[in-house]
Amino acid sequence: MVLTRATDPTASVWLAANAGTGKTYTLIQRLLRLLLHGAAPHSILALTYIKAAAAEMAQRLQAAVNRWATLPDDLLQTEITQLTTQAPDAATLSHARQLARTLLATPVTIGTIHSFAEQLLRQFPLEVGLSPGFKVLTHPADAALQSEVIKATLIDPTLTT
């Protein structure tokens, strides 16, 4: 089954698909399996393109573990078996119930590719030729400046070196 391979916590996976095909669902299932498998929340990075999608992923993940914290044992066992294709033992059930509290204390990093790239640039500005404390240009507030830089570069390409 494709979903099982895409959510396998022991596999390295790149997920790309058209809108509305279940990417967010699959990513949440993968995150849940990673957490059940023992991955530390702070060691997980989930990236998407859109801020709203990142927020939705974070909300869905927290909602899933919150649900696990209150499910009766038999229903929790069924959900975990469906997710992992293996019946959970008592330790796994206990771990699943604790994940809601764990994620509140140490959340999984879920964000956009752009925010992740900006974070890296802020950590290592000199290594990529930026001034520390640089400002990211955003549209439309900085559209005029962007336009000026583009025009100047097209007129005299040596300005960029």
Side-chain angles (χ1 to χ4, degrees):
M1 173 186 234
V2 174
L3 183 59
T4 302
R5 285 186 295 191
T7 64
D8 181 354
T10 64
S12 179
V13 177
W14 176 269
L15 182 61
N18 293 331
T21 57
K23 291 183 302 295
T24 301
Y25 174 82
T26 302
L27 287 170
I28 296 305
Q29 300 306 298
R30 180 170 176 76
L31 294 174
L32 290 169
R33 286 190 70 185
L34 283 166
L35 292 166
L36 280 174
H37 193 54
H42 71 273
S43 71
I44 299 173
L45 173 64
L47 298 176
T48 186
Y49 285 102
I50 301 167
K51 287 180 185 178
E56 182 180 343
M57 284 174 55
Q59 184 277 327
R60 283 194 198 181
L61 179 63
Q62 191 65 52
V65 295
N66 288 350
R67 177 177 155 73
W68 284 359
T70 59
L71 276 179
D73 284 344
D74 58 331
L75 293 178
L76 180 58
Q77 185 168 8
T78 299
E79 281 198 17
I80 293 175
T81 301
Q82 289 173 344
L83 176 66
T84 65
T85 69
Q86 296 178 347
D89 58 16
T92 301
L93 289 175
S94 176
H95 179 60
R97 291 196 185 287
Q98 295 298 318
L99 283 173
R101 185 178 312 138
T102 300
L103 290 185
L104 286 173
T106 311
V108 169
T109 301
I110 300 175
T112 65
I113 291 170
H114 295 91
S115 66
F116 178 67
E118 183 179 343
Q119 179 184 12
L120 284 177
L121 292 173
R122 292 211 182 279
Q123 284 182 306
F124 306 103
L126 299 176
E127 289 82 349
V128 295
L130 293 173
S131 297
F134 67 89
K135 180 183 175 199
V136 175
L137 297 179
T138 59
H139 188 77
D142 297 310
L145 180 57
Q146 289 176 356
S147 181
E148 283 180 46
V149 170
I150 291 169
K151 285 178 189 174
T153 303
L154 292 175
I155 292 168
D156 185 359
T158 62
L159 293 175
T160 62
T161 57

